Amino acid sequence: KAGVTQTPRYLIKTRGQQVTLSCSPISGHRSVSWYQQTPGQGLQFLFEYFSETQRNKGNFPGRFSGRQFSNSRSEMNVSTLELGDSALYLCASSGTGGGTEAFFGQGTRLTVV
Amino acid sequence: AQTVTQSQPEMSVQEAETVTLSCTYDTSESDYYLFWYKQPPSRQMILVIRQEAYKQQNATENRFSVNFQKAAKSFSLKISDSQLGDAAMYFCAYRRINGNSGYALNFGKGTSLLVTP
C-alpha cells in the first residue's frame, strides 16, 4: 500500500508569489490534514479536509487555503508569500475510526526569498 | 484550547540504556487520544505509540512504553534498550475524540534525543 505522497519535495519562491502544494493520501483514507513546521513555532495545525469539506481549521491567516478533490487528494495554497512562510509543510492522512493514527508524508520544504 | 508541553528540549542516552521523555497536557475533556511521534532526520513523522484516555492500562510497543497519569495530565515515553536508530526528534501529541472535531493533532515542541555509543 503506497504511503502519503507530497509534491514537490522542495520549493523556492519569491515574496509576494503564491504557491500550491499537493498531497495524495493513502488509498481509502478520506481525511487529509496539513501542518506547518518551523523551528520557532514547532508543528502547527493548518486545516483538515474530510470528504471534500473543510472540517477543522487552525489559527492561520486567510492567505492559507486548501481544498480536497473527490479522489481525496488535497492541495494547499498560500498566496502573497511572506518570508515567515518558509517552513516544512506536512500532510497527514487518516482512515475512519476513532483511534486511527495519522500517516504523514515526507513534507514539502518551502523557502521564501 | 488544548496545549501540550514537552519540558525537555534535548535528552541524551547511552546505547542499551533507558530514557524517559516527559509530556504534560492541558484539557478539560475526559476522553481523548495521546500519541508519541518520532521524526528522524529524514523528516518522516512515524507513530511510536498511542494511548486512549479511557484505558487505564499503559500502552506498550516493544521497547517503547508510556506512563499515562490521567489525573496529573502526564504522558511520558520510556525507551528501553536504546539503539542508535532511536536518535530523532520526539513529539507528544493530543487529539480530541472523533466526531465533528476531526483528526487535528496538537503537538508539543518536541524533544531531541541523542543516542551515544
Side-chain angles (χ1 to χ4, degrees):
Chain A
K1 207 174 193 181
V4 179
T5 303
Q6 289 188 247
T7 56
R9 291 289 309 279
Y10 301 92
L11 208 48
I12 299 176
K13 288 287 187 179
T14 304
R15 263 184 308 174
Q17 285 186 316
Q18 75 165 16
V19 67
T20 299
L21 312 182
S22 179
C23 173
S24 293
I26 291 172
S27 178
H29 285 189
R30 293 158 64 188
S31 167
V32 174
S33 298
W34 289 88
Y35 296 84
Q36 181 195 64
Q37 186 175 20
T38 59
Q41 299 299 317
L43 277 153
Q44 293 185 285
F45 171 74
L46 280 155
F47 31 65
E48 180 203 0
Y49 285 87
F50 184 86
S51 294
E52 301 180 65
T53 301
Q54 188 180 89
R55 181 160 71 170
N56 217 337
K57 189 178 189 305
N59 189 25
F60 277 82
R63 300 186 296 108
F64 292 81
S65 63
R67 59 178 175 169
Q68 187 179 32
F69 302 95
S70 58
N71 62 357
S72 292
R73 188 178 72 86
S74 177
E75 287 182 348
M76 189 192 95
N77 184 275
V78 188
S79 62
T80 319
L81 284 165
E82 301 175 0
L83 294 179
D85 297 333
S86 294
L88 179 69
Y89 290 89
L90 291 167
C91 162
S93 80
S94 301
T96 55
T100 185
E101 70 176 278
F103 293 85
F104 284 81
Q106 289 192 288
T108 294
R109 169 73 68 186
L110 172 65
T111 302
V112 183
V113 298
Chain B
Q2 296 79 22
T3 56
V4 179
T5 303
Q6 293 179 248
S7 59
Q8 307 152 315
E10 293 179 350
M11 290 284 284
S12 181
V13 63
Q14 273 195 312
E15 224 177 339
E17 297 297 308
T18 296
V19 65
T20 298
L21 308 184
S22 301
C23 172
T24 58
Y25 57 95
D26 182 30
T27 184
S28 58
E29 299 173 341
S30 59
D31 286 330
Y32 45 87
Y33 296 104
L34 295 165
F35 304 86
W36 277 98
Y37 277 90
K38 167 185 177 181
Q39 187 179 43
S42 68
R43 294 294 188 179
Q44 180 85 52
M45 294 282 279
I46 302 163
L47 178 68
V48 174
I49 200 163
R50 166 181 45 220
Q51 175 79 43
E52 291 88 345
Y54 57 87
K55 289 186 178 179
Q56 292 187 342
Q57 186 172 6
N58 289 325
T60 300
E61 287 287 341
N62 301 313
R63 299 183 294 108
F64 299 87
S65 62
V66 298
N67 183 3
F68 173 49
Q69 301 290 325
K70 191 174 183 180
K73 295 179 183 174
S74 170
F75 183 60
S76 60
L77 174 69
K78 186 171 84 170
I79 305 174
S80 304
D81 185 26
S82 296
Q83 300 174 0
L84 294 177
D86 294 334
M89 198 74 172
Y90 286 81
F91 292 95
C92 178
Y94 170 103
R95 205 193 87 199
R96 298 176 69 185
I97 290 289
N98 195 12
N100 293 331
S101 59
Y103 293 120
L105 290 163
N106 287 347
F107 286 94
K109 292 287 190 184
T111 296
S112 178
L113 179 65
L114 175 67
V115 181
T116 56

